């Protein structure tokens, strides 16, 4: 009898050891998020982990890169894009659970310079001469052909009449955070990034803000992928909560929906 009990106990322990890695894996949500979300989303995820025990694997990059990775089968549960175009792209590729999509956040774009730059208080309006302001230096932003911040920047500069002269001076970065780093290191004289990025980088200062009507509205949609784990729905609900709103607004994002409790 003792031997049988001992064998049964050993079986239970072995079974538990076999199942535990899968259980741990099931409690990890994989998020693909726009690079500009890093600081705020890291804090949100930490709060969610403290509340639920669910852990996160997060990849931050340009929305264009992430959308294509998801299309190619990368194992993401959630996609947070810095514009609606790349979320639309993911939807068109059948990568997104469309009913889960919500336009969650807004942002603004700003002109930045290294913290010790003599450039300050730039009036950004029709006719302003960005090329002259940059002098012999470079202007950093995301790739204007694909990275959302670069697309917003180009649209704004075209509307303000400053793009043609300034275009040769642009250093196109792979993401908004890469552009931010170029300015912080003094490798670019100026940069165009989101206001939320400028606020978390002590090596830069905001020298001007682009008028909201100079570019398409900056909207961050969030959605579950078509392969998302079941617990993803609860996480998406948390992103819409008052607790998440408080964190996101602290970092300068605009909450575009009425928060849930």
């Amino acid at each position: 009898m003792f031997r049988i009990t001992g064998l049964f106990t050993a079986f239970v322990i072995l079974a538990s050891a076999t199942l535990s890695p899968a259980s741990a894996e099931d409690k990890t949500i994989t998020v693909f998020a726009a690079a500009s979300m890093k600081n705020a989303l890291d804090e949100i995820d930490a709060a969610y982990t403290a509340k639920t025990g669910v852990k996160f694997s997060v990849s931050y990059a340009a929305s264009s890169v992430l959308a294509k990775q998801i299309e190619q089968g990368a194992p993401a549960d959630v996609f947070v894009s810095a514009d609606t175009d790349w979320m639309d792209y993911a939807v068109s590729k059948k990568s997104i659970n469309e009913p889960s999509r919500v336009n969650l956040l807004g942002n603004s774009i700003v002109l930045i310079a290294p913290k010790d730059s003599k450039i300050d208080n730039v009036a950004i309006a029709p006719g302003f001469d960005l090329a002259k302001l940059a002098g012999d230096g470079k202007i950093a932003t995301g790739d204007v052909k694909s990275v959302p911040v670069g697309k917003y920047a180009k649209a704004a500069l075209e509307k303000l009449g400053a793009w043609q002269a300034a275009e040769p001076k642009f250093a196109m970065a792979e993401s908004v955070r890469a552009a931010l780093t170029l300015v912080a290191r003094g490798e670019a004289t100026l940069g165009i990034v989101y206001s939320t990025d400028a606020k978390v980088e002590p090596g830069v200062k905001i020298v001007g803000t682009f008028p909201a009507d100079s570019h398409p509205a900056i909207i961050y949609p969030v959605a579950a992928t078509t392969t998302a784990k079941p617990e993803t729905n609860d996480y998406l609900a948390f992103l819409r909560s008052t607790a998440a709103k408080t964190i996101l607004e602290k970092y300068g994002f605009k909450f575009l929906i009425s928060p849930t409790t």
Side-chain angles (χ1 to χ4, degrees), residues 30-34 57-60 66 69-70 74-76 78-81:
T30 301
V31 180
F32 279 23
S57 173
V58 187
S59 293
Y60 293 107
L66 298 173
Q69 287 178 346
I70 294 171
V78 176
F79 179 36
V80 186
S81 175

Side-chain angles (χ1 to χ4, degrees), residues 62-72 79 86 89-90 95:
S63 303
S64 50
V65 171
L66 298 173
K68 290 178 180 179
Q69 287 178 346
I70 294 171
E71 177 192 357
Q72 292 162 8
F79 179 36
W86 283 111
Y89 175 88
S95 304

Side-chain angles (χ1 to χ4, degrees), residues 3 14 51 56 78 134 138 143 169 174 178 191 196 203 205 242 244 252 261:
R3 180 178 294 178
L14 180 61
K51 177 184 176 184
F56 290 89
V78 176
K138 290 290 186 181
D143 189 331
K169 298 179 182 292
E174 64 183 14
T196 52
K205 61 180 180 178
T242 302
T261 53

Side-chain angles (χ1 to χ4, degrees), residues 158-181:
E158 284 180 333
K159 186 163 185 180
L160 297 169
W163 171 251
Q164 189 171 354
E167 182 182 6
K169 298 179 182 292
F170 268 86
M172 306 296 181
E174 64 183 14
S175 73
V176 67
R177 288 297 172 95
L180 184 70
T181 299

